[in-house]
Amino acid sequence: MSERRPYFYPDSSSDTEEYRRDEERRKRLSKRTGPNIRTRPNMPPKNLSANTPTPSTSTAQDPPRNGQKGQLCEDRITLVVDNTRFVVDPAQFTAHPNTMLGRMFSSGLEFTHPNERGEYEVAEGISATVFRAILEYYRFGTIRCPPTVSVQELREACDYLLVPFDANTVRCQNLRGLLHELSNEGARRQFESFLERLILPLMVESAERGDRECHVVVLLDDDSVEWDEQYPPQMGDEYSQTVLSTPLYRFFKYIENRDVAKQVMKERGLKKIRLGVEGYPTYKEKVRKRPGGRAEVIYNYVQRPFIHMSWEKEEAKSRHVDFQCFKSKSVTNLAEATADPVIELDANRVRDEEVPEVNPDPEVEEPQ
């Protein structure tokens, strides 16, 4: 008896093609097997009568082994990703029930159905190289990022398959790319906390006042703002609000963090989001008299980050009040113009009422 053929994850599509050819060859030989076909005298079938059908996994050259090989094939499933077939054990997926593949092949759950060949087509949009790397997580608990795959692509695939992406599960040669993705995740969690604790109360205050937008300036904890009530500074936004938070100030120091914050606010349904740095007046330095007796106030300005967002739903419509109600310049009667339906004037009557031009000097003939 020959040794049992090992099962493993195929490293390329050629392994799956070889497996498929072996299956087709076994099926053809099993159809030909019958009472008139002799078996090899040195390898007789065991515990089989003349009326017992030969198992589909066995061939004339490879006799059945008490159904053991057929049982192993039934325990395996074939996944098709990017036109590449992967023969895997679903028990490794069910050991991680929080992942997408674990949920798909858990007992009692039917999230997917096989095709006509009994294969499962999963992970649409993910390349075979990335999926092969992610399969290592189910076998070894870690993922080695291939050199030809960007860290961002691997991160997006892990998010789609609900596979954890962190420093404990990902091994990557490109440390800059790995740390960048980890920083994006940390910045997202941090800004979501800032948004709930510091920014949302100011937005609610603006909404209760009847505004549809909010302008927030982030100051340091030790910034002192002292405005002269008689000579207040000239501000671009009349209802600008401030929040004292040195951690939030440091957060907006990085452009990448601003991009993450903008994406988070977009996902929360906000519009017209602007993030940047502007000058903010803190205290009055001096008052200078200009010619004519008008006072000019000079304030000390500091550069601080700001956030501007809007929740206005009808921002696409015109904000100007349109008083035009005439459909024709020849209509001079307001009652006719505002009537519903509009009263159409007789064109002949309008022409009869027009005053003809009169030559002021009848002795001078007009040039022809």
Side-chain angles (χ1 to χ4, degrees), residues 5 8-21 78-79 81-87 128-129 131-133 135 139:
R5 183 178 177 181
F8 54 90
Y9 290 113
D11 292 333
S12 64
S13 60
S14 59
D15 298 325
T16 58
E17 293 296 331
E18 181 181 358
Y19 172 79
R20 183 174 58 82
R21 289 196 298 268
T78 302
L79 304 181
V81 180
D82 192 21
N83 297 325
T84 305
R85 289 171 174 82
F86 299 87
V87 181
T129 304
F131 188 77
R132 184 179 295 110
L135 285 180
R139 301 177 61 191

Side-chain angles (χ1 to χ4, degrees), residues 44-115:
K46 299 180 181 179
N47 300 329
L48 292 178
S49 61
N51 298 327
T52 303
T54 305
S56 60
T57 56
S58 63
T59 62
Q61 292 78 16
D62 190 9
R65 303 179 183 88
N66 295 331
Q68 293 180 0
K69 188 171 183 179
Q71 184 66 28
L72 288 175
C73 291
E74 293 179 358
D75 291 342
R76 300 279 175 154
I77 59 175
T78 302
L79 304 181
V80 181
V81 180
D82 192 21
N83 297 325
T84 305
R85 289 171 174 82
F86 299 87
V87 181
V88 296
D89 186 358
Q92 296 182 348
F93 297 149
T94 57
H96 299 81
N98 293 329
T99 64
M100 190 186 76
L101 295 177
R103 296 177 182 178
M104 290 173 57
F105 298 101
S106 296
S107 59
L109 300 179
E110 297 181 358
F111 287 102
T112 184
H113 300 280
N115 55 19

